[in-house]
Amino acid sequence: MKTELHDVFMAEGRELLAAMRRALAADGPSLPELFRFSHMLKGNVKLAGYPELEPIVVPLTECLRLAKQSGRLTEEQAAAVSEAVEACQGILEGRVAGGSQAVVERLRKAASPLEEGVEGAAVKILLIEDSVLQALVIKKELAQSDGVVYAVECRRSLAEGLERVTQGGVDVVLLDLNLPDSQGLETFTEISARAPAVPVVILTVAADDGLATAALREGAQDYLVKGQIDTGVLTRAIRYAIERKRIEESLWKARRELELRVEERTSQLRKANSELALFASAATHELREPLRKIVIWGDLLRRDRGEALGETGLKLLHDMQQAARRQGDIIDSLRELTRVSSSGRSSDRVDLDAVVGEIAAEMAPLFAQAGGRLTVERLPTLRADRLLMRLLFSNLVANAFKYRKKEEPPLVAVRGRPHGATAVEIDVEDNGIGFEQQYAARIFEPFQRLHDRGAYEGTGMGLAICARIVARHGGSITARGEPGKGATFTVTLPITEQVK
Amino acid sequence: MSAAAIVLTEDDEDDYFLAANALREAGIGERLHRVVDGEELMDYLLLRGRYAGAPGLRPILIFLDMRLPKKSGWEALREIKSDARLRRIPVVVLTSTNTEEEIARAYDLGCNSFIKKPANLDGYLALARAIKEYWLALAEIPCAAPAPDR
């Protein structure tokens, strides 16, 4: 019972089909246009009540909808669409073809990769919300959005939400903070701990503003007030949340890369340093050997030809050998300095009382000879390199002894005291010749000497070595002095681990 | 050549001159045999290379410098002390550096003495006398190492 109306619809249907053929023939057909024609055709077919056409038009429209959303139509898919359009045309012209089922099959096949593409492009939302009504509202708002496709999955408790978010494939979480099994901020922290890389938008009620801001501080991307949610607000919040999180992640990644590069550079530097130390050690050895020979050939010269040299000759020979010895000492002390700065540092439990006690015992005869005294008081136990600690304090004590006053017995005291909770201070105090305070920093530099070489032997390296040792332990060393009134060297060392 | 020799491993002409003269002055110079690097030392001890077929070379003491061309003193020391045929021969390390690490390592490898090369002539003379008095008179050492395989 075909009506007049039926004819009107079908006339329009013919026009639509013709428009689609034209569109398909064009180079790069407009997908939104094709979909619109197909969608209208589907309406006409339904209104006209044309059961022969419906089985083709419905999948055709679906296929074009997917094509529009994913923005692409391959040649194969275009061919299937064309075929479907031709089949519709044929049916309308009364040439009922037998192969309409095959046409539908081909359409379905062509559409399926499109479907996957659209699903892949969809924004995957995990909605954790116990109110079914609220969930429906949000789903409805999202369904109305233009362009972007949202795939929404709902969970109604924190436990279910955690399980889902752990499985991955979630682009954004919409989270109600008050769930049957979790309330308040904790709901957010649980989710964010489980999936730190997934952006979270909080769903809240107007009264909970404070809670929402707290969640923002904890790292939530945004919050939406229930009852004030519309499609625009919702999709914008989701888009921004994803975008912000992506930026955060890439920042984090960049930072991580930077850290790695710094690490790499540091290890290169460390390698270069140790190569340099090796070179310095070999070089100082090579520099030192000829000096040893100079001294020995001098000895031979004195023994075998000494008479021929005469008194002046022997004096010159002696001075020459002295100079060679002195240069040897300087090279030795340089080697010591590089060794102290670059060799590996072990971390021993060092009882400084015992270490300085040993030094005191060794130096006791020297002090006794000069009528003086070395006292050791309250030294701590700490984590340090034992050999370096021994070198440090024996240098400081030797230094104090060396710069004693000729007319007064040397009195040297080594004393420890706590410096805050994490460090100790150790003073090495003497009653020697002292120095002018303005030179206090300079005496720790290599080769720096404040007193003339004739009066005090040495290479000017002892305190430089001390400064390096202290620096390698993360501590500091300072000197206070006054001419004629003695000097005090203060070593500050961190106590990295509790050892006592 | 005497059946029992003192081997001096030394690549440096000056140092060899000094040590040899000091040992000669101490009266033990004629028993000295010089090798110039670790390779030659091992050849000498194991009767290989140009020492193949040499008769009855039984060192009673080895002086070993650590800085040597080709095979270093460290490698030679390790090989000597891990070879059952050679490990009884006393090895006196005579070298120019004496850091804590080097001394410890040398004794770990089994050296019998570690001496820094003297810094003056008197030091060399004293060293030669001490070697003579200690290793050649006071100390008991195996009179012959097991003969190496030919």
Side-chain angles (χ1 to χ4, degrees):
Chain A
M1 38 159 241
K2 312 235 153 130
T3 63
E4 210 172 303
L5 204 55
H6 172 90
D7 291 339
V8 171
F9 282 134
M10 270 0 299
E12 212 175 287
R14 268 184 210 97
E15 275 170 35
L16 285 167
L17 278 170
M20 287 177 78
R21 292 170 85 183
R22 278 196 302 277
L24 281 165
D27 216 13
S30 156
L31 295 176
E33 201 180 51
L34 272 172
F35 169 67
R36 194 154 49 82
F37 292 150
S38 179
H39 191 71
M40 284 162 73
L41 179 65
K42 190 173 93 179
N44 281 23
V45 165
K46 279 200 168 155
L47 288 172
Y50 211 130
E52 294 93 330
L53 268 179
E54 228 179 299
I56 300 178
V57 172
V58 171
L60 175 65
T61 308
E62 177 63 9
C63 178
L64 287 169
R65 183 183 70 83
L66 292 170
K68 183 193 97 173
Q69 272 170 0
S70 61
R72 68 198 165 87
L73 192 67
T74 64
E75 263 178 45
E76 195 191 334
Q77 287 154 354
V81 168
S82 289
E83 206 179 324
V85 170
E86 292 308 321
C88 291
Q89 186 83 16
I91 290 166
L92 276 185
E93 282 168 6
R95 300 183 272 110
V96 180
S100 77
Q101 191 54 41
V103 171
V104 169
E105 270 310 306
R106 256 195 294 283
L107 261 181
R108 289 239 163 84
K109 219 174 127 199
S112 87
L114 283 172
E115 204 160 346
E116 276 166 29
V118 168
E119 240 164 52
V123 177
K124 291 175 228 36
I125 295 172
L126 175 61
L127 174 60
I128 308 177
E129 165 68 78
D130 59 333
S131 150
V132 179
L133 188 63
Q134 192 63 46
L136 273 176
V137 168
I138 285 169
K139 272 189 165 174
K140 196 182 126 254
E141 294 296 342
L142 286 173
Q144 283 172 7
S145 84
D146 236 2
V148 187
V149 183
Y150 294 94
V152 185
E153 275 186 73
C154 291
R155 294 294 185 273
R156 295 182 60 186
S157 69
L158 177 66
E160 288 171 301
L162 283 173
E163 196 190 325
R164 176 60 195 91
V165 88
T166 311
Q167 289 162 8
V170 175
D171 292 326
V172 62
V173 173
L174 298 183
L175 182 66
D176 182 359
L177 288 180
N178 292 317
L179 296 171
D181 54 347
S182 176
Q183 279 82 41
L185 200 56
E186 202 186 314
T187 314
F188 167 72
T189 52
E190 291 263 344
I191 290 284
S192 125
R194 190 70 65 93
V198 179
V200 177
V201 175
I202 303 292
L203 300 174
T204 181
V205 288
D208 269 353
D209 248 16
L211 187 60
T213 5
L216 289 188
R217 266 200 302 277
E218 294 289 314
Q221 289 297 341
D222 206 347
Y223 72 92
L224 297 171
V225 179
K226 291 180 190 175
Q228 298 172 17
I229 298 173
D230 64 34
T231 311
V233 168
L234 189 58
T235 53
R236 200 164 50 239
I238 288 168
R239 199 164 60 238
Y240 287 177
I242 291 170
E243 195 57 20
R244 266 198 306 267
K245 195 73 185 181
R246 200 181 56 74
I247 291 166
E248 271 176 27
E249 290 290 305
S250 69
L251 268 177
W252 185 85
K253 212 177 124 204
R255 214 185 73 183
R256 181 82 200 113
E257 266 167 26
L258 209 63
E259 275 170 7
L260 278 176
R261 200 163 310 162
V262 169
E263 251 168 55
E264 197 179 307
R265 288 283 150 85
T266 311
S267 94
Q268 282 171 355
L269 212 59
R270 206 171 282 139
K271 191 163 162 267
N273 249 340
S274 81
E275 273 168 14
L276 200 64
L278 224 70
F279 171 78
S281 160
T284 50
H285 177 260
E286 296 299 322
L287 286 170
R288 198 167 189 332
E289 277 301 286
L291 294 168
R292 192 171 63 91
K293 304 284 171 59
I294 290 174
V295 172
I296 295 178
W297 298 144
D299 284 348
L300 271 173
L301 186 60
R302 182 183 299 105
R303 195 183 70 166
D304 297 347
R305 300 279 185 278
E307 278 168 33
L309 288 175
E311 202 178 315
T312 321
L314 284 172
K315 167 79 167 64
L316 290 173
L317 179 61
H318 171 265
D319 289 352
M320 186 187 85
Q321 286 182 306
Q322 273 302 101
R325 279 196 198 97
R326 192 174 148 63
Q327 190 175 343
D329 289 345
I330 291 171
I331 291 171
D332 280 349
S333 63
L334 263 178
R335 184 163 57 195
E336 186 78 359
L337 187 73
T338 45
R339 203 175 67 85
V340 159
S341 323
S342 57
S343 68
R345 183 171 82 73
S346 64
S347 177
D348 313 315
R349 184 179 187 278
V350 182
D351 179 357
L352 285 181
D353 252 328
V355 168
V356 181
E358 273 172 39
I359 295 168
E362 274 170 26
M363 295 198 65
L366 274 178
F367 275 90
Q369 211 174 11
R373 205 168 61 243
L374 170 62
T375 52
V376 184
E377 293 171 39
R378 291 192 308 274
L379 293 185
T381 296
L382 45 80
R383 285 250 161 231
D385 184 300
R386 188 189 308 278
L387 286 176
L388 290 183
M389 283 297 115
R390 197 178 147 74
L391 186 59
L392 167 66
F393 287 103
S394 85
N395 274 356
L396 287 175
V397 170
N399 193 70
F401 182 80
K402 183 160 91 181
Y403 294 106
R404 66 189 182 278
K405 286 183 202 155
K406 294 278 171 286
E407 65 281 4
E408 229 177 285
L411 297 176
V412 177
V414 186
R415 250 181 239 117
R417 61 174 175 276
H419 180 75
T422 55
V424 285
E425 272 185 352
I426 298 145
D427 283 343
V428 179
E429 190 185 338
D430 66 52
N431 63 339
I433 60 171
F435 59 89
E436 284 186 51
Q437 187 60 33
Q438 67 185 103
Y439 301 124
R442 255 179 56 188
I443 56 179
F444 295 109
E445 288 168 24
F447 299 118
Q448 282 295 333
R449 305 171 56 91
L450 297 184
H451 305 286
D452 85 285
R453 185 173 301 147
Y456 298 96
E457 271 290 319
T459 59
M461 207 67 74
L463 291 175
I465 289 173
C466 290
R468 298 281 176 100
I469 293 174
V470 172
R472 290 208 66 193
H473 285 81
S476 61
I477 184 167
T478 56
R480 266 175 299 121
E482 205 181 313
K485 300 219 168 132
T488 303
F489 289 84
T490 303
V491 173
T492 309
L493 290 170
I495 308 177
T496 42
E497 287 165 62
Q498 201 60 44
V499 283
K500 235 172 186 170
Chain B
M1 178 174 288
S2 144
I6 296 172
V7 184
L8 180 56
T9 320
E10 180 59 77
D11 64 310
D12 185 293
E13 291 300 329
D14 294 345
D15 280 336
Y16 175 71
F17 173 86
L18 287 166
N21 274 291
L23 292 171
R24 216 163 278 140
E25 279 193 33
I28 50 174
E30 73 284 357
R31 304 165 76 178
L32 204 59
H33 179 83
R34 180 191 181 188
V35 292
V36 296
D37 58 50
E39 292 280 5
E40 195 191 344
L41 173 64
M42 296 315 294
D43 283 352
Y44 177 87
L45 295 175
L46 296 169
L47 305 175
R48 295 183 313 208
R50 65 190 179 94
Y51 293 99
L57 295 160
R58 298 270 168 74
I60 52 163
L61 187 65
I62 298 169
F63 281 111
L64 185 60
D65 191 1
M66 289 320 214
R67 288 171 181 259
L68 292 170
K70 296 186 190 171
K71 185 172 285 179
S72 78
W74 298 105
E75 290 167 84
L77 179 60
R78 184 195 306 280
E79 284 178 29
I80 291 166
K81 291 303 178 184
S82 53
D83 187 326
R85 299 163 297 173
L86 303 176
R87 69 162 66 104
R88 289 182 198 161
I89 307 170
V91 175
V92 174
V93 171
L94 184 61
T95 192
S96 50
T97 53
N98 62 338
T99 63
E100 297 268 354
E101 295 88 343
E102 285 169 315
I103 296 169
R105 198 175 142 212
Y107 279 100
D108 283 348
L109 287 173
C111 83
N112 303 78
S113 241
F114 189 110
I115 299 170
K116 191 186 177 190
K117 284 182 183 171
N120 54 44
L121 188 62
D122 285 345
Y124 267 103
L125 296 173
L127 166 68
R129 281 194 301 273
I131 290 291
K132 185 188 178 190
E133 279 164 24
Y134 182 77
W135 285 109
L136 303 186
L138 190 60
E140 300 282 358
I141 49 181
C143 58
D149 301 328
R150 294 271 162 160

